[in-house]
C-alpha cells in the first residue's frame, strides 16, 4: 500500500426528517464534488425548533478523502 | 433584529424505542412549560441494559430559548 | 417505566470544613426548593486561601431531577 | 462567611456592535430577573454573517448568583 | 444496596444499515460473553464511505457491568 | 427550507490593533473568495509580543458557508 | 529496569459513606482479581440522591497494573 | 479595587492518608515560599498502589496568587 | 536559528474597563519582571458582577518567553 | 463484510530508547496474548527523568482488535 | 508586518516506517499544491496493525498557510 | 516515603532535526537551572515550515520536579 495522504474537511448537513437523514444528505452532497471519500466522523448533532417541534435536524461531520498524486 | 437574549438549559429525555425518540420526548416535554424554544444540541447519548438488551435510550440536550422583555 | 425526563442544573456549594461537606451543603440547599433530585456529578473542586490556609472549600455540581407531568 | 450556595445558569447575549456589547446585553438582561449576580465566564464567542459582513455578535456566558436562604 | 463495583469496557460495533443498528450489534455481542451489563454511553459515531455512499456505520461505546463477589 | 449543506473552514486573522479588528480582517478576507458566508465561531485568541508590548492580535475562526447545488 | 508494559482498565466503585470510601472499595475489589496494581486516577465523581440526601457516592477510576512476561 | 494581576502555578501534593490531606500538604508547602496565595483548583486526583492497597494519594492543583507592584 | 527554549507561564489580569484592557494590564505587568516575552494565548475570560453591572473583567493568559543560555 | 465488533483496550509501553520504541514494545507485548489486533492510537506521551536525563520513555495507547464469533 | 490571514486545513499522512516519516510525507504532499505553508500541529497519532506488527503509521496534522491578497 | 511536593512547569523545546531531539533539548535546558527533575509529559507537537519543508520541530512539555524542604 503506497503512503496514502488524506484531506479532512468539515461539512454540516441538515434534514427535516432526522439526524440519520442529515448524515446521508451531507455525504451525498460531498460526493458530488469530491472523489475518493473514505470515512466520516460525527462531531455535532443539533437541531432547530419551531412551535415546540423539531423543524430541522443538523449534523456536523469530519470527512476524509484520499488525495491523488 | 433586536439583540436577542437566549437562556440555555440542559434536559435529559428517555425512550424505550430509540435515541431519536428520546430526543423528541425531551423537546415535547420542554415545550409544555417553555415558550420560544429555538435550538437544541445533543451532549450525551446513553442507555440502560437489562438481560443483555437495551432497555432505555437516554439523551442529554442543551436547549436554547429566547427570553422575553 | 414511563419515559422519564430529567432537568439538569448546575450549583456550587461551599464549606469551611472540606470538599465533602461542600457537596452535602449544595445538595441539602437544592433539596429545599427542588423535588425528585436523582443524581449529581462533581464538575469542579476549588477553594479560597487566606493567610496560607484553605479558608473555603468549593465544589460545582451538576444535579439531575425528574420533571413531573 | 456563611457557606454560600451559588446557582450557575447559561445565557447567550447578542449585539449588532461587538462581542463586548453582547456581554453587557446578556448581563443587563439577567440582572432584570435575577438578584445577587456574582460572576460570569465566557464559554463561546460566535457571530452571524450577512453579505460578507458580521451582522450579529453572540456570546454564551455561564453566570453565577448566590441563592438566598 | 451493597456497594456495587462496575467494570467499564470500550467496544465498537458496526452495521451496514445505521448507527442505531450498530449500537444493538455491539450490545448483543457484548452480552454473549459478559453478564450483568448495566449501561452504555456512545463515545464516537463514525462510518466508512465507498463510491460516495455510506458503506459501514460504526459506533464506539463505553459499557458498564457489575462485577460479582 | 431546502436541506442546506454547509462547509466549515478554519481561518486565522491578525491585526496590530485588537482581537476585534483581527476578527473583522479574517471575515473580510474570507468574503473576498467565498460566497454565502453564514456564521463564525472564535476558537482561539492569541498574540505576539515585542519589547514588552502586544505587537499582533491573532484570532482563529471556524467559518460556515452554504454550498450551492 | 526492564521495559514495563502496563494495562489500564476502568472501574467504578460505590459507597454509602463517601467518595473516599468508594475509591477504597474499588481498589480492594480490583486487588481481588488483578495482581501488580500500580496506580489509579479518578476520572469521575458522581452520586445518587434519595429523599434529598446523598444515598450512594460513586467514583470512576482508571487503574494501571504491570503485565507479566 | 486596583487591577490585580495573579500568577497561576501548578503543584502536586501527596499524602499517605487521603486526597484531602494531600491538598493541605500542597497548600502548606506553597505558603512557605509564596505570599498572597488566593485560590486553588484541583486538576487531577491520582494515587499509587502497593500490595493491593492505596499507598500514596496525589493531587495536582492550580494555585493563584497576587503579584505585588 | 539556534534551538530556542521557551518557558510558558500562566497569569491572570483584571481591569474595570474591558477584557481587552485586562489583557494589556497582564502583559504590561509580566514585562516588568520577565524579558524576551514572545507570545500569549487567552485561556479564560471571566468577570465579577456587582449590583447587576460588570465590575471587573478578568482574563487568564498563557505567556511564552525565551530562556537565555 | 460482516458487522465487525471491536474491543478497545488501553495499554502503556515503556522504553529506555525512545517513544517510538515504547510504541513497538507495547504492541509486541499485546500481540503475545491478543489476536486480530487492528489499530492503535497514541493517547499520552510521558517520560521519567533521572539526573537531568530522560531515563524512560512511556506511551499510552488505545488498541482495537476484532472479537471472534 | 501587514495583517496576515492564514487558512488552516487538516491532512493525514501515513508511512510504513514511522510517525516521523508520516509527518514529512503529509507536509511534502501539501507543499505540492499549496504555497506559503507556515506551520503545522500534530492532532492525532494512529496506526494500523497486521499480524501483530505495526503496518502503517498515521498522523493527522493541522497545517496553516498564508492567503495571498 | 515523606509526602513529596512537586512543582509542575511548562516549557517548549525546538530542534531543526526532529520532535524527539526537541524533547531532549527542552529537558537538557531545564536541567541546567532546575534540580530533582522527575517526569515530563508532551502536551503539544508543532513545527514551522519554510519552502515546503519542515524547518523547526517544536514540543511543549509539562515537567515535574520535587520541591525541597
Amino acid at each position: 500500500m503506497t503512503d496514502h495522504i488524506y484531506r479532512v474537511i468539515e461539512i454540516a448537513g441538515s434534514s427535516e426528517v432526522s439526524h440519520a437523514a442529515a448524515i446521508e444528505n451531507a455525504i451525498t452532497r460531498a460526493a458530488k464534488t469530491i472523489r475518493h471519500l473514505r470515512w466520516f466522523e460525527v462531531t455535532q448533532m443539533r437541531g432547530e425548533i419551531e412551535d415546540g417541534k423539531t423543524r430541522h435536524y443538523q449534523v456536523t461531520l469530519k470527512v476524509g478523502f484520499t488525495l491523488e498524486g
Side-chain angles (χ1 to χ4, degrees), chain A:
Chain A
M1 186 189 112
T2 63
D3 295 331
H4 273 305
I5 305 293
Y6 293 95
R7 180 71 196 286
V8 182
I9 63 167
E10 219 173 356
I11 57 176
S14 76
S15 153
E16 301 192 16
V17 175
S18 70
H19 286 114
I23 290 174
E24 301 315 319
N25 288 346
I27 289 169
T28 304
R29 177 60 185 75
K32 274 189 186 172
T33 46
I34 299 169
R35 287 190 296 182
H36 314 307
L37 292 175
R38 283 287 168 275
W39 56 265
F40 70 92
E41 180 177 348
V42 177
T43 56
Q44 189 183 53
M45 289 167 71
R46 295 184 71 257
E48 280 167 23
I49 303 171
E50 273 171 37
D51 309 323
K53 287 261 163 291
T54 312
R55 190 74 181 70
H56 295 287
Y57 298 89
Q58 294 156 330
V59 292
T60 307
L61 309 180
K62 281 203 170 182
V63 178
F65 56 94
T66 33
L67 289 177
E68 290 160 37

